[in-house]
Every structure is written in C-alpha cells, then in structure tokens.
Amino acid sequence: MPITTTSSSTKKLLFRQLFEKDSSTYTYLLADVSHPQKPALLIDPVDKTVDRDLSLIKELGLKLIYAMNTHVHADHVTGTGLIKSKVSGVKSIISKASGSKADLLIEPGDKVSFGDLFLEVRATPGHTLGCVTYVTGDGPDQPQPRMAFTGDTLLIRGCGRTDFQGGSSQQLYNSVHSQIFTLPKDTFIYPAHDYRGFTVSTVGEEMLYNPRLTKDEETFEGIMKNLNLSYPKMMDVAVPANMVCGLQDPISKA
Amino acid sequence: MPITTTSSSTKKLLFRQLFEKDSSTYTYLLADVSHPQKPALLIDPVDKTVDRDLSLIKELGLKLIYAMNTHVHADHVTGTGLIKSKVSGVKSIISKASGSKADLLIEPGDKVSFGDLFLEVRATPGHTLGCVTYVTGDGPDQPQPRMAFTGDTLLIRGCGRTDFQGGSSQQLYNSVHSQIFTLPKDTFIYPAHDYRGFTVSTVGEEMLYNPRLTKDEETFEGIMKNLNLSYPKMMDVAVPANMVCGLQDPISKA
Ligand SMILES: [Fe+2]
Ligand SMILES: [Fe+2]
C-alpha cells in the first residue's frame, strides 16, 4: 500500500533546510520525531551558524546524535568540531576515503541510523576523492519520495569543480550517472550549495536539464577542463581545518 | 481516512521555495501537477529573478496563471508586471486593501484556485494596511499539513516592521493572533523574507518561540515602537513601482 506508507513516513521525518549566506551553504537537519528521543543529525553544518542550528534543535526538542559532512569543504569551515564541543554525545561523521579525522569514518553501503530512519552512504568521488552522497532509506517506513544529499557532487543545474582535492571530472561523471541518476526520478536533490536561490531539485529534473551532466562524458570533461575558476579564498584555511572536524587538534598543534 | 488523503494531496502539489539574496526575499512556486494543464502560481516574485523563475516553470512543464503579492513591498520591486509582459495570460493579484493596481484585487475570504488546489485569503494588516496571508485550503484534497504564506506579517522568530505604509503594531498583533495562530499547529509558515538562513517554521513553533509575538500586546507594542530602524533604501523606488505591479504605467508617466 504505497499511499499509506508515504504518509506515515512523512509524519516521522522532521526536515529543515538552513542557509549560510557568505558561502551559500545549505545545512540540513533531519530527525525522527516519532521516536521517543527524537534523534537528529546535521549534514554539512557551518562553523558560523552553529549557534543558530543548536538553538533550533533545542527549541524543537531534538537530541542531536550526528554532525556529518558530505566531504572536506574548501569554501567554509565545518561546524562539526564546534558542535561536539558544545553538545556532549554528538559524533562527527565523514567518509573514510576523505582521509580526515572524525568519530565515525563511513564507507559506501554503510547506514547512518537515527531512530527508525536511516541514510545510505553512496561513494560519489569526483569533486573530491572522499565525496559521498547520503540518501534516505529505501523501504516502506522511510520518507517518500527519497532525498539525496549530494554535497558538491551534483548541484542544481550544475556540479562541483574537479580541479583539486583529488578531483576528477571522469570520476564525477561516473559517480552522478551510476550513483545518483539511478535513483527514482522523484528523488529530491538537496545540494551543499546553491548560488542562484534554488533550494531543491529532483533526479528527473537534473537528468533532463543539468547543463553539464546531460552531455556525453567527453563533452563533460571538456567543460570541466575549461572552467578557469580562481583559487578558492578560504581553501588554505578551510581544508586543513576540515580534515579535523573544523577544530585544529591542540595536541597536534603543540 | 486522514492517512490516505494526506498522501494523495502531497502528490498533487508541486512546491518550490526560491531565494533572492540581495533583499533576502522568498518567492514561492505552487502548482497542481495532477491537473492536466499543471496550473501554477508565484507568490512574491522579485523583478531580478523573473528569468530564473520563468525558466524553472518552463522546464517543469507548468502553466503559470497567477503572479501574486502578499503586500506592497518596500525593499524590492515585484516581478509581477515583468512576468505579465513575458508570459501571456498571467494575471497579477494583490489585495484590494493595498490600494494597488492589479488584474485581480482579492478580499478576505476569497479563494485563489489553481487546478483542484486553492489558497484562502486572510486579511493580516499591521505591517502594511493591505497585507494578506495566503493559506492552502482546508479539506481532504488539499495539502496536509497546511501552508501559510505570511508575507512580512509573521517572520520566522520575528515580524515585519509597523512604522510606515499604514502599519500598526496593534493591528499586526491582532492579525497574527486571530488569523495565523488559530491555524493548526503543524501549519507551515513560509514568510516573504528570512535574514538568518531559516527556510520554514510552523504555527506551533512561532506560538512558543517567536520573541515578539509570544509577549502580551502592550509589551509587543513597546518592542515595535523602539526598534529604531533606518529608512529602507529601496522604499522610494519600490513602493511606487509596486503599486502598479512593478512596472510604471507608460500612460501615467507621459
Ligand atoms: Fe566542496
Ligand atoms: Fe514588506
């Protein structure tokens, strides 16, 4: 009975999209509000907006259990370390392939559970070597349509750059086509950034209208090679910090 | 069967929140995608982002029928006039109480229908004399939870200023308490602006945590009297333009 499951699962998930203007970053809050503890997680929190996010979580009566990243960001400092210093019991999460420190290093196929809901981990390298896409679970008790948190792998009508951090346009192309465009067409795409004011897209829409990823692989690689992007302002600060949850480890500094 | 109706109605409504960064304005796109023509409307479009909005509407295969405003904005120029000049058959909508020109001048209690879905019009003066809140319909075929497009009347953890354009803190207080806080607590609040990166709230949340509107009326009026806000930069351009759908009428100019 797909109709019934859709509705019951929609009622379980509390979902909030939050925006950080300076870096145009989206942070996502998800919680299972049917579960007595209302366990919650944050995807791609930004250091500057940690207080906003934690105050919202408190007001909503949620218990934050995970602060996770889709990848090592080069344009902002992650809030995961700061969150851990402010809320006890929160665990940071990033992919093992990122080479970063975190409490939990996840791998493709892992599940990140919060209450009765979960996210699947899909490896989507190309923007960075360690990029993952988190996708809400497949199953009658999970949100319908599904939601994919694509980081910078797939943006709305765009994609992340592939010219540093172990990036590869060939890998990004294959990641999107094999790991994201194979999801149901009504799957929502929630990226880590948008610079034009879009908040969401769908797999079906990007398969039809993404100006880069609708091209064949060779054309795509040509596009990515000729972007001529400038060096990211924050990169030399953000990347080393983000390798350790946004907080330089006092021991390794000494 | 509330479970079944929730789901069937969720499937009908296509909903997109769109952001204009300079004025931190949210524009909302709603469409009935179960209807063969996919009739759509835009709430509070901004002149600068009209091309983005129309291109999305085209890609999604929607037929735009209404371009509507919650009120005469003082901080940006509405896109309704520009939209009418670019897409034939679109009608502009604003409240009769605003004193503005538009194709349809709506009044409290009116319904704005698009396909089998509709918005109710609620008078919520206070930020301006002519402010309205558009609320998705009540009924088994309408989206659940309901959604309220509150303009500047109720913002997330805030509210619009009440010191010009026929504003009145007493009226705003009464509008929110009688017309918005009486909606079901799970009703989503979608405001015309947010300056801190929030995208949505609920009636229940604002009833508990709105720092202004949880106060008694006298305290609220004191808060609003002492905001000491500066004169809006865009006001002298935006207000006269917005009285005529954002386009100065060539005849009245001559
Ligand atoms: Fe990135
Ligand atoms: Fe306004």
Side-chain angles (χ1 to χ4, degrees), chain A:
Chain A
M1 293 293 289
I3 286 171
T4 308
T5 52
T6 300
S7 170
S8 67
S9 60
T10 305
K11 281 186 182 175
K12 274 188 185 175
L13 178 71
L14 179 146
F15 174 66
R16 291 294 164 90
Q17 184 171 28
L18 297 151
F19 187 61
E20 198 285 309
K21 246 183 162 180
D22 294 340
S23 60
S24 293
T25 299
Y26 284 122
T27 297
Y28 299 97
L29 172 64
L30 287 84
D32 180 354
V33 289
S34 299
H35 190 279
Q37 295 198 300
K38 300 190 181 180
L41 56 84
L42 280 170
I43 299 175
D44 289 332
V46 178
D47 62 345
K48 288 182 205 177
T49 39
V50 158
D51 288 338
R52 173 198 66 187
D53 301 347
L54 294 180
S55 131
L56 178 64
I57 286 168
K58 196 179 167 189
E59 287 176 351
L60 295 171
L62 310 177
K63 181 181 164 58
L64 186 64
I65 58 170
Y66 297 128
M68 48 211 283
N69 278 296
T70 52
H71 66 290
V72 175
H73 302 279
D75 62 338
H76 68 270
V77 175
T78 178
T80 55
L82 196 55
I83 288 168
K84 277 167 52 73
S85 76
K86 294 188 177 221
V87 187
S88 67
V90 177
K91 292 203 185 308
S92 59
I93 295 183
I94 200 164
S95 74
K96 190 170 182 180
S98 71
S100 308
K101 281 192 186 181
D103 296 319
L104 298 171
L105 298 173
I106 42 93
E107 294 185 83
D110 284 355
K111 285 182 183 184
V112 178
S113 294
F114 53 113
D116 299 324
L117 303 177
F118 68 92
L119 297 171
E120 296 179 4
V121 179
R122 296 187 173 211
T124 50
H127 168 62
T128 75
L129 196 66
C131 283
V132 296
T133 291
Y134 298 111
V135 187
T136 57
D138 192 14
D141 300 334
Q142 304 299 313
Q144 281 298 333
R146 297 177 76 179
M147 305 157 86
F149 301 93
T150 55
D152 293 1
T153 302
L154 181 62
L155 303 177
I156 299 173
R157 313 292 193 264
C159 67
R161 62 197 291 177
T162 53
D163 55 341
F164 54 72
Q165 288 185 282
S168 150
S169 59
Q170 198 187 334
Q171 275 195 329
L172 190 138
Y173 191 89
N174 291 328
S175 290
V176 171
H177 281 269
S178 70
Q179 300 297 313
I180 302 175
F181 284 179
T182 49
L183 286 162
K185 284 189 182 170
D186 62 355
T187 303
F188 288 117
I189 300 295
Y190 286 107
H193 300 285
D194 193 274
Y195 304 95
R196 288 174 297 164
F198 293 111
T199 56
V200 68
S201 181
T202 63
V203 165
E205 252 178 83
E206 295 308 317
M207 286 174 75
L208 278 175
Y209 300 117
N210 191 293
R212 295 178 183 176
L213 285 148
T214 46
K215 303 288 191 297
D216 63 55
E217 188 173 336
E218 201 183 338
T219 311
F220 176 77
E221 287 171 25
I223 294 170
M224 297 310 287
K225 202 174 293 175
N226 294 303
L227 291 179
N228 294 316
L229 297 169
S230 57
Y231 193 78
K233 269 179 294 187
M234 290 280 292
M235 178 138 156
D236 297 329
V237 175
V239 170
N242 289 339
M243 296 294 285
V244 290
C245 291
L247 294 177
Q248 302 286 351
D249 184 337
I251 295 161
S252 65
K253 259 191 192 167

Side-chain angles (χ1 to χ4, degrees), chain B residues 115-130:
Chain B
D116 299 323
L117 303 176
F118 67 92
L119 296 170
E120 313 177 346
V121 178
R122 295 187 174 212
T124 51
H127 168 62
T128 75
L129 196 67

